[in-house]
């Protein structure tokens, strides 16, 4: 894949995730949530047929931010995660795009494999708290490593109620990162 395509894909993912976060506050009925879950699970099962992963279970639950989380469990699912979670990221983007197209509106759907993203989220939240503590105690901005839109969003959400710091995303494409800024 060319670098230009990677940037376009990164920007497309970011647009989808930003749209999803804007619509998080929207209220949906239990019937609508069931329709979203059924649509996403059907799409996920269709895609999983192309992976040699054997029998899997898909658990669904609502996340802390109102998103629908589909957690896949089974034997030998490393192929679904991929190196540094890249395959999982692509799988989530694909399932989200299919779901949006079928239901006609955006709703945050998170695909996870054996709670991989949950563990990554906990690590990112710890990184966010550490950066906030460092920024506040040293009185200077802390620049984090480049991250995906999903990872950056976790950092922003983790620190949104911390009155000591603000967060901002800076950079372009694959170099986009979060900066944790102390409040003066």
């Amino acid at each position: 894949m060319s670098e230009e395509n990677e940037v376009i894909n990164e920007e497309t993912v970011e647009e989808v995730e930003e749209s999803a976060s804007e619509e998080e506050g929207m209220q949906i009925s239990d019937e609508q949530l069931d329709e979203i879950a059924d649509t996403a699970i059907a799409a996920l099962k269709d895609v999983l047929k192309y992976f040699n992963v054997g029998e899997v279970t898909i658990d669904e639950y609502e996340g802390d931010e109102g998103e629908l989380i589909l957690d896949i469990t089974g034997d030998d699912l490393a192929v679904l995660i991929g190196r540094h979670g890249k395959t999982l990221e692509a799988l989530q983007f694909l399932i989200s795009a299919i779901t949006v197209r079928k239901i006609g509106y955006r709703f945050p759907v998170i695909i996870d494999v054996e709670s991989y993203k949950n563990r990554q989220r906990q690590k990112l939240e710890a990184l966010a708290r550490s950066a906030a503590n460092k920024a506040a105690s040293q009185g200077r901005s802390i620049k984090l490593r480049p991250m995906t839109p999903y990872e950056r969003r976790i950092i922003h959400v983790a620190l949104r109620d911390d009155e000591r710091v603000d967060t901002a995303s800076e950079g372009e494409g694959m170099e986009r990162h979060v900066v944790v800024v102390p409040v003066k």
Side-chain angles (χ1 to χ4, degrees):
M1 181 180 289
S2 74
E3 188 173 310
E4 181 178 312
N5 286 340
E6 288 178 15
V7 170
I8 290 170
N9 289 339
E10 178 81 9
E11 290 170 355
T12 304
V13 170
E14 189 169 328
E15 289 170 10
V16 168
E17 300 228 349
E18 286 175 359
S19 295
S21 60
E22 289 171 6
E23 295 181 15
E24 274 177 8
M26 72 182 221
Q27 295 297 317
I28 63 164
S29 68
D30 288 343
E31 293 80 23
Q32 288 174 305
L33 188 57
D34 287 344
E35 176 191 8
I36 294 165
D38 291 346
T39 302
I41 288 170
L44 186 54
K45 285 180 178 178
D46 285 345
V47 171
L48 289 178
K49 290 176 188 174
Y50 296 97
F51 289 88
N52 190 18
V53 293
E55 194 67 31
V56 298
T57 303
I58 301 172
D59 297 316
E60 65 179 86
Y61 53 96
E62 193 171 334
D64 296 339
E65 298 294 315
E67 69 273 22
L68 174 66
I69 300 174
L70 302 178
D71 192 14
I72 307 166
T73 56
D75 298 328
D76 196 29
L77 298 179
V79 68
L80 295 179
I81 296 172
R83 185 174 170 91
H84 301 294
K86 292 297 184 188
T87 304
L88 181 54
E89 198 177 300
L91 184 61
Q92 177 172 322
F93 179 78
L94 181 63
I95 300 306
S96 292
I98 291 169
T99 303
V100 166
R101 182 170 290 263
K102 289 192 176 181
I103 65 172
Y105 56 93
R106 293 196 194 289
F107 186 86
V109 177
I110 306 297
I111 307 299
D112 203 352
V113 174
E114 296 182 337
S115 297
Y116 171 82
K117 281 191 175 179
N118 189 41
R119 291 188 303 275
Q120 293 306 105
R121 168 177 262 186
Q122 290 172 350
K123 288 178 186 176
L124 287 167
E125 288 171 344
L127 173 66
R129 288 188 299 273
S130 175
N133 290 338
K134 191 173 183 180
S137 68
Q138 294 181 1
R140 64 179 181 90
S141 296
I142 304 298
K143 177 181 165 183
L144 301 178
R145 66 172 171 77
M147 296 180 182
T148 66
Y150 177 75
E151 292 169 327
R152 290 192 309 270
R153 184 172 179 279
I154 290 171
I155 300 292
H156 291 303
V157 169
L159 297 179
R160 72 178 165 202
D161 294 330
D162 191 327
E163 296 176 1
R164 304 171 302 156
V165 296
D166 285 326
T167 60
S169 290
E170 295 181 353
E172 298 294 324
M174 301 300 282
E175 294 302 313
R176 197 148 170 85
H177 58 273
V178 175
V179 177
V180 181
V181 182
V183 175
K184 304 269 186 221

